[in-house]
Amino acid sequence: SKILKVLNSSPLPLKRLIVLCLPDIVEDSEHTFVAQQLKELLSDISLTAVIIDTTSNFHLSPDLMEDFKESALSMLTSVPSDDLKYLLKFILHPSHQEESDEVVTQVRCSDIFMTTREPQRNVVIISTLESVLRFQPLIFESWLKYIELSPS
């Protein structure tokens, strides 16, 4: 609680550092409370990637994790290219096959593939997807399923 008060009054570089250190500072029993507080800061684009990175190291309920994934999904088109890979990897990290299918559909239907004209952003999207597809078999299977079921 005291750390979160300091966080709110700190300059941006210190905020980022504090958020990144939270998994090592707070006890497991406090993860849910801290994650809920961080969720309120998620709309600050300059903190989005570090908050997502931090919460991926917390032990959270599936419902709270789903809330974070939905928030991250809604921010895909607005985050800077440098942070995009962190959001994509976070979103595309399912816990089971059903979630994997749903996540692939959500990402595929998002505006991420339509709204960018920045070559660097496209490179980030493609390289992140390549990495995810290579190392996460659930996502790979879901992506293939999505392609097979898509109309030509």
Side-chain angles (χ1 to χ4, degrees), residues 118-135:
E118 300 173 45
Q120 178 59 30
R121 194 166 181 85
N122 288 330
V123 169
V124 169
I125 292 168
I126 291 169
S127 65
T128 303
L129 286 174
E130 176 189 19
S131 172
V132 168
L133 292 173
R134 182 179 294 157
F135 297 109

Side-chain angles (χ1 to χ4, degrees), residues 12-27:
L12 182 61
L14 186 56
K15 280 183 183 181
R16 293 173 66 91
L17 185 60
I18 291 170
V19 170
L20 285 172
C21 292
L22 285 173
D24 297 325
I25 297 171
V26 299
E27 295 182 27

Side-chain angles (χ1 to χ4, degrees), residues 3-140:
I3 294 172
L4 296 172
K5 288 179 184 175
V6 170
L7 179 67
N8 289 328
S9 61
S10 300
L12 182 61
L14 186 56
K15 280 183 183 181
R16 293 173 66 91
L17 185 60
I18 291 170
V19 170
L20 285 172
C21 292
L22 285 173
D24 297 325
I25 297 171
V26 299
E27 295 182 27
D28 289 357
S29 62
E30 298 173 313
H31 284 183
T32 299
F33 173 76
V34 173
Q36 289 168 338
Q37 299 301 308
L38 291 176
K39 192 168 186 300
E40 294 177 15
L41 299 173
L42 200 55
S43 61
D44 183 346
I45 298 297
S46 58
L47 292 174
T48 301
V50 294
I51 290 173
I52 291 297
D53 186 36
T54 295
T55 54
S56 67
N57 292 308
F58 283 166
H59 302 295
L60 302 176
S61 71
D63 290 338
L64 186 53
M65 191 60 82
E66 183 63 30
D67 285 348
F68 269 95
K69 286 185 179 186
E70 287 176 15
S71 296
L73 187 64
S74 71
M75 302 176 88
L76 283 177
T77 57
S78 61
V79 295
S81 293
D82 295 342
D83 295 345
L84 182 59
K85 63 183 172 188
Y86 300 108
L87 263 67
L88 270 175
K89 285 182 179 181
F90 177 76
I91 293 166
L92 292 170
H93 188 59
S95 58
H96 52 80
Q97 187 65 48
E98 288 176 12
E99 182 185 5
S100 177
D101 293 345
E102 183 180 325
V103 164
V104 166
T105 301
Q106 288 173 334
V107 169
R108 194 60 195 103
C109 292
S110 74
D111 291 338
I112 189 173
F113 297 103
M114 306 296 183
T115 59
T116 183
R117 290 190 175 93
E118 300 173 45
Q120 178 59 30
R121 194 166 181 85
N122 288 330
V123 169
V124 169
I125 292 168
I126 291 169
S127 65
T128 303
L129 286 174
E130 176 189 19
S131 172
V132 168
L133 292 173
R134 182 179 294 157
F135 297 109
Q136 293 188 30
L138 289 177
I139 292 292
F140 181 78

